[in-house]
Structures are given as C-alpha cells and as structure tokens.
Amino acid sequence: MIDFITALTPAALIHHAPALVVTVPLILSAFTAIMPSSRAAWGLCLSAALFVGWMVILLFGQLATQDVIVYAMGGWDAPMGITYRVDALNLQILALVASIGLLCVIYGYATVKDEIAKDKRPLFYSAFLICFAGLLGVTITGDAFNVFVFVEISSLATYALIAMGAERDRRALTASYNYLVLGTIGATFFVIGVGFLYMATGTLNMADMAGILAETGHTRVTQAAFAFIVVGLGLKAAMFPLHVWLPNAYATSPSFVTAFLASTATKVAFYALIRFLYAVYTPDTGFVMLSFTWVFAVVGVVGMILASVQALFQSDPRRLLAYSSVAQVGYMMLGLGLGNALGLAAALMHLVNHAIMKGALFMALGAFGLKFGISKISDLNGLGRTMPASAAAFTVAGISLIGIPLTIGFTSKWYLIIAVLERGWWWAVAAVIMSSLLALAYITRMLAAIWMENPPEHHGETVPKTRAPAMVLVPMGLLAFANVYFFFNADFIVGMAQRAASAVMGGQ
Amino acid sequence: MFTPELALALALAIPAIGGVFVALTGSSAFERMFGAQPNVREAFTLIAGLALVANVAYLFEIAHSNPTLTLAEMVPGLSLTFTLEPLGALFAAVASGLWVINSLYSIGYMRGNNEKKQTRFYVCFCIAITAAMGVALSGNLLTLFVFYEVLTLSTFPLVTHKGDANAKRGGRIYLTILLGTSIGLLLPAVIATQFLAGSTDFVAGGLLALNDVTPLISGVLLVMFAFGIGKAALMPIHAWLPNAMVAPTPVSAFLHAVAVVKAGVFSILKVGTYIFGPGLIALAPTSEPLAWIAGISIVVASIIAMTKDNLKARLAFSTVGQLAYVTLAVMLASPLAMLGGALQIVMHAWGKITLFMTAGAIYTATGKTNVSQMKGLGHQMPWLFIAYTLGALSIIGLPPLGGAWAKMFLIQGAWESGHGILIVALIASSLLNVAYLMPLSIQGFFQPPPVEPLKKKPPMLVILPPVMTAIGILLLFFMIGPLREFLEPVFAVTHPMEVSS
C-alpha cells in the first residue's frame, strides 16, 4: 500500500515531503480565509488534510529504508539553516496529527454548520489550518527556535478557535483569554529556555545542541534552561498542576475544536517535551534523572489521582472529560518519569491511544450536542434510546478509557503497569489502579445516564429517535472502531512506540 | 474437517452465531416482514444450545489431549489463546448443558409472566454463554480476564431487565463491585503474573511455582486473586449477589448455577491449579487466613440465609455459602479437597438451578415470593416439590444425590491437610442447610393445601426443567467413578517444589 502510493508520486514530491507537510496547509489557510462560501472553504480544508495524509504516508515509506530523514530548508545546512528531521519518534506523532486532523475536518462539516455563524466559517477553517500546520511544524522541525515559532503559530490560532465557541457559550471568551495569558507565559518560559541553551551552545539545531552539551557538560545556565523548557512545554501539555487553562477551554470551544485539540495539541506539546528531554538533554544526566523521578513520576501520580477526583465531581460532561484528560496526561508523565525504554514506550503508546479514545468521546458529545443541548450529565439521559449509534461510540470509547479488555485502553494500562513493575515502584501501580477505578466511577456515571435513564419528554411525549448526520457518524465510528481494532492488532501502535523509544534512547 | 481446534473455536462460535440469529429473528425489521415469530427466535436459542452441548461433549472426550487454539496474537507474547484441559471441559459441559435446560425454562417463565424485551434477553444470554465458554477454555490469564469482563458486561442488561428503580440500583451495585474488584485487584494480579513469570499461560503444576516466585509474593497475589475474582462472592464482597436478585428468575438461575458465580469459582480453581499449583498455595502465608475467611463465609452466609423469608434471597445467601466451599478447597491445597471443589462446582450447579427454577415456577403459578406464604403448595404442584426436595437434599449433601460426593471429598481433604476445625464448619453448614432449605418441602407437603386455587396453571415449561435437573442430580451420584477418573490427573501432577525440597 505504502509502496504503491510512493510509486505513483513524483520524485520531487517525495524528496520535499518533509517541507510540504507543513507549508501546504499553511499556504492554503490564506486561500481558505478568502473563500466565498463555507462549503468551498471546507473543501479546501479537506484537500489540505488529505494532502498532509499523503505526505505522511510518503514519509512512512522513506523511513522504512533509513533511520532518519534530514531535510535542509532551502538547501541551507544545519548550523546555518533550519533542518526538518523525521525519525521513528515524531513520525508516529505526525501520523496521529494527520489522521485525527483529517477525521476532524470530515466531522466538522456538520458541526461547524451548526455552531459557527455563516460568514465566519471560512475564517474558522483558515484558523484551523494554521493550527494544524503549526502542530505539524512543532513535530517535524529539528530546530529549537523553530519549535517556538510553530508553538506560537498553533497557539494563536487555537485562541481564536476557542473564542469561536462564544456563539454558543459566552464563557468561551474568558476561557480563550485565560488560555491566551497562560499560553503566552508558557511560550515565554520556553523561549527563555531556548535562549539560555543558545547562549550556552551557540546553536539552535537540536542535534548539534546535544553534541555540544555532551562535550562541554552542563552548567547552571543549561540547568536553568531545562527548568524553563519543562515548565513552558508542560503548560502547553496541560501537565498537572499547569492544567488550569484546559477544562474551561475544552468545555466551551466548538465541538470540532475540542475533539481536535484534545487529541492533538497537548499530545504534540508532550512530544516536544520528550524530544528535549531525550534528544537535547540525556536522561542519564543527574538533574534530568532527578526531574524524572521527582517531577514527572511523583507529580504525574498526584495529578492522575487528583484530576480524576475532580472529574468525578463535574456536572458538565465536557468538563468531566477535560479533567479526565489531565489525569491521563498523568499516566504519560509517569511513563516518561520511569526513565527507561519500557516506560517511554508505554507513555508514547498511551499518548496515541488516549488521542483515539478522547477524540471519539468528544466527537460523540458533539454529536449529542447537534440534537440536544448537553450541559449537564442529566442531559445525557436516555440517549441510548434516542441516538443509539452515537451512544454506542461513546460507550466503546468510554470503556476504553477505563481500561477494560478488548479495547486499547487495556493495552495501554498493561504496558504501563509492566514498565512500572520493571522499575519496582509498587506505589505507582497502586496509583494507576486507583485512577482507573476513579475513571470507572466517572464514566459509569455518564453511561448510566445514557443507557439506564428514560429519554426526556417534550410536550408530554418522549422525544423521538434521531441520528447524527453521516459526516459525523463516520469519523466518530472509525475512531470508536479503532479503539477495538488496535486491541487485536496492537502490534501497530505498540511496535511504533517501541521503535520510537529505542530510537531516542539509543542503546540505553 | 472436524479437528479439536475447530471444536474449540466452535464452542465460542455456536452461541455467538446463535445470538446473531436470535437478534435477527427478533428484530423489528424481521417483525415487519414476517410478523412476530417468538417461536422461531427461541428455536435458534435451543438449536444453538443443543449444538453446543454436542460440541462440548466431543471436547469432553478429548480433554486430556490439550489442543490449543490461538484466536488472536495482539503482539508477540500476548495472545488470546484457548487450551482445553479437564477442568475447563467440565465447566463448559455444566454451563452448556444447563443453558439448554435454562432456556427451556426461560421460555415458560418469560411468556408466563409476560416479560418485556425478550429478544434482548435471549441475545444477552447468548453473549454471556459465549463469554462463559471463553472463561472455561481460556489458555492463559489474559484470555480468562478478557472473557471474565465480557461476562460481567453482557449480564448487566439481564440483571436490570425490569428497568425499575430497584433493578437499576441492583444493577449498579452488580456492575460496580464486579468491575471494581476486577480492575482494582484482578488486573494488577494478572499483570504482576506476567511480570514475574514472563507469561500468563496455565501450566500444569503451577506457572508461578515453576518460576520460583517466593511464597511471600505468591501470598500477596493469592489474596489479590481471591478477592479480585469478585464473581466468586467470597465475603465481604458478596453484596452484588443478593442485590442481583431483582432480575427475572431465569437470570438468577443463570447467575447462580450456569455461568456467573460458577465462572468466578471456576477461575479461582483454575488459577489455584495452574497458576499457583497446590504446593505453592500450601507454602503461601495467606492461604491459611483465606481458608478461614472461606470457612467463615460458609457459616455466616448460611445463618443469614435462615433469616430471609424471601425464597430467592434465601437461595442467594445459600449460594454465597456453598461457593465458598470451592475457595476453601483451593486454599486447603490438597488434591482431594480440590477434587471436591471441582465436583462442588458441578453438583451445586445442578442442585441450585433446580431450587431457583422452583422458586420461579411458584412465582409464575401463584405470584408468591416468600417461604411463609408457600404452605401446602406441594399438594398442588407435587412434581415441582419433589424436584425441589431432591435439589435441596443434594445441596445438604445426602446420598444418593450428587452433592454428597463433593462434601465427602472436601471433608477428607480438610482432614488430610490437617485442618480438622474447618471440618466443623463444613458439617455445621450442612446442618444449617437443612434448617433453611427443608422447611419449604416440609410445609409444602405436610401442611394442608391452601384454600384458594392456583392463580393459573403453571406452564409445562416451568415444571419440566426442574424435574429434569433433579433427575440429573440423581444420575450424577452414580457417575462419580468416571468423573473422578476424569479429574484426578489434574490434581495429581507432582509439584516441582516438593520434588526439589
């Protein structure tokens, strides 16, 4: 399949794929903004997403024969120019962003029509494409300052996207403003860190930085840079306790945006963090190891429990799932904090799996929202009868989030716990299990409303059975199906995560 | 070509496909085309049931050859695998055989009481029996865990069938306790096994014992398994079982006798035999306290049962007590006791299903649910009450009924392993059984018949099934020779630790 597509593609396109994957959506975003109709804007958006998917497939093909693809922008080589760098680690993130982006665009057709005013739709799609390109850029670039640029590109677009929720819920404006303030602080921290590193090493290329740091050793400056980078990216990744912007943003933004952000934005930030921790710094450095144990593992464990407890007490389903996302980042932090290849692989695996389940869950909530207003759990009453297909997708993804077998949530938990046991941290196993039980509690709260309560009545009659449009059902159904499919064919995600982990860990 | 591997696959496929046909013939589209055809729908359940029985009978014949079938390999080293072995074959035989009888009974009961949503009811049964087959034939802990959870989820709609507030409450407790214990304790225990032993395969002699896991860690794991398998209803996590009594009676029979609780104690037996091995259990420091907890469960549950006037509640607590026998047998770790435990699964299943079907038949005919209201009914329904009496006597443990053997081997095993005091608990339990099971028979026959006639004549299909199972109990008493021969090799595997020490 990959070979077939590669064979059909002109050689120049294959060669420039790393650059095109970012530039094409970025350029198309400008054209999208001036499209006369929302349908044309959507079409352009879809073609950009399809093109990105095509490019990612080409990258898969190229990476099958080599370990790493290095692409020099404009032909300017490393220390002078910006290089794009694809290896096993970021290829899977690229694939994740590209496929979630594509599914979300399809999903958006009906929901954007429902939630965004007609004249603003082209602008909305344009903002989405900027955000999409920014996230792909963060993932693919090999240049530290370029990471900052793309983080800002995607963030600025994200603020606008969240604020577009104001038509349905005015609180989106404050949520967006909050996120703008905090996001800017995070980005500033990050750029200060990168500045310190530039000061210490004289280069912005991440591979070069690593080489120079290995030679010269670490100083106060690089240690301070480390702290700034961890806090800055940690904020973007919504690592507990830097997550306060997230619940409101997820709860009020348009459902298309929530589904997209929940599955990609925090994941990409987390990836960037892994890149800095493993490819610029090395985990065997004393203070890095220390941060693994005391910052990532311990705070991750605290976060997964506290955020789950908070989720349990939410009354708005979207806020509930948002807190659950914070808790799930805790699993990834714990995996990362283990400091071994097994743990890193578990974290990466959960990163992908969590994107799949949360994407499906938020899409299903959006589908419910098309027909009914959903602002509290009791609004979910009886949806099992009124919207069975969407309710089924929600249920499958919810079961996956708990970690019940036959879903990818189980695979995630399996590998994470094995990795934790390998490290001998029994307390962390207890915390993971505790958090799973809390997930069981908050998911069953929603599922009980969906399946066991009676549908609401309207003028004395039970509301009739209805169905979300096909353009919503298909991407949502695919994601829900992926939850089960990748349990049986776990090799794809597990293998990718393990290759990625061994690629960055080297022989360690 | 009919191979053992194909038979393994069919054991799961037959009820699953049966479920598809039941769903199709009961669907609203089918109804629009051909009109409601409940007889066609039920025919598919029965055909699937009979085909499954035949298939399992074949598996029973070849159980000692241990064919293996890998359904799916998720990643190298982690797979859904089925391996046939005698214990699993035995459980599969019990579950499939009783499913057919229970289905017959369901038809009578559900129609007799005009229950709603019968299609969903029969489909859930099919899925649940598929899951029970998966548990029975599982070749590793991972597979067992997967189907264990499927069983929980597929029986949930059955428990909440009535759909009223009470049913929802019972269902919520059912789901919370079973999923909570399985995720909170069983899942980490399974993963820890994978971590310690490098696999989760069921191995004769005990996987953990072969991997030289220390008795202390084994002891911790043993506790996690004993309480993590919440379906075994060991006190204090038995609360889901009495609460699940809100379900229609065929479901109660299914929970208690055919699949759910049985799957729980079967899992404990299987884990005890193939993951720990009797030698390691004997060495583990927690097996002794767990044996005592099981002993206390037996006595306390029986005492609670005596206080219940509602017949189904009484039977529910009786199940809690009777199934703690199996946990006790595993914790005693003597071959004879474990043989007794395996037999107890079979004998209790046949006995208890008889009692539940009686309770449901009385309800269908008279609408009565309390023992104190049932005086003299034996005159109106003699066959039913004779069947009940045989079932009750088997559970008490009197020959010539099947239950006698299970109790006898258990007592011998307790003696053999030096737990004389626990024998007292076993005998006390039998006496308590007499006290709470026999009044119904005695009052039924020796009190004058009630003045008012039956509300309606009970349908044939609620009387015949308990009579069939009662006859089964009698036959089982005489089949002990072959059964023992069939099971003994399982427990006779010489334990590696004993050899080395």
Side-chain angles (χ1 to χ4, degrees), chain A residues 276-302:
Chain A
F276 270 93
L277 292 182
Y278 281 90
V280 177
Y281 293 87
T282 44
D284 46 5
T285 318
F287 67 90
V288 179
M289 203 62 221
L290 215 59
S291 82
F292 276 176
T293 310
W294 293 106
V295 177
F296 288 98
V298 172
V299 178
V301 162
V302 174

Side-chain angles (χ1 to χ4, degrees), chain A residues 409-419, chain B residues 78 142 187 190-191 194 200:
Chain A
F410 177 77
T411 321
S412 274
K413 234 145 250 184
W414 181 276
Y415 278 94
L416 183 63
I417 293 179
I418 293 264
Chain B
L78 278 188
L142 177 63
L187 175 65
V190 171
I191 299 180
Q194 164 85 23
T200 59

Side-chain angles (χ1 to χ4, degrees), chain A residues 301-302 304-305 331 334 426-436:
Chain A
V301 162
V302 174
M304 73 174 83
I305 303 239
Y331 290 124
L334 173 63
W426 291 90
W427 50 272
V429 177
V432 171
I433 295 299
M434 187 67 215
S435 170
S436 305

Side-chain angles (χ1 to χ4, degrees), chain B residues 34-94:
Chain B
F34 304 101
Q37 298 280 3
N39 288 337
V40 176
R41 182 185 65 197
E42 264 76 295
F44 278 110
T45 299
L46 294 176
I47 291 169
L50 291 174
L52 185 63
V53 167
N55 187 50
V56 171
Y58 169 73
L59 288 177
F60 203 80
E61 280 297 308
I62 58 161
H64 289 284
S65 67
N66 303 107
T68 296
L69 170 79
T70 299
L71 184 70
E73 186 157 31
M74 283 85 77
V75 283
L78 278 188
S79 59
L80 291 183
T81 301
F82 302 104
T83 306
L84 185 64
E85 44 77 43
L87 285 180
L90 186 70
F91 176 50
V94 172

Side-chain angles (χ1 to χ4, degrees), chain A residues 365-386:
Chain A
L365 277 187
F368 298 152
L370 283 179
K371 306 282 175 184
F372 305 95
I374 305 285
S375 60
K376 49 187 189 300
I377 293 205
S378 58
D379 290 336
L380 298 171
N381 282 0
L383 282 170
R385 248 174 285 168
T386 44

Side-chain angles (χ1 to χ4, degrees), chain B residues 24 27-37:
Chain B
L24 284 180
S27 68
S28 49
F30 185 87
E31 219 165 275
R32 246 175 283 133
M33 272 186 284
F34 304 101
Q37 298 280 3

Side-chain angles (χ1 to χ4, degrees), chain B residues 442-461:
Chain B
I442 295 169
Q443 292 171 357
F445 284 119
F446 296 107
Q447 298 265 357
V451 205
E452 78 268 30
L454 292 179
K455 208 171 70 181
K456 64 176 161 191
K457 200 176 161 333
M460 239 289 269
L461 281 179

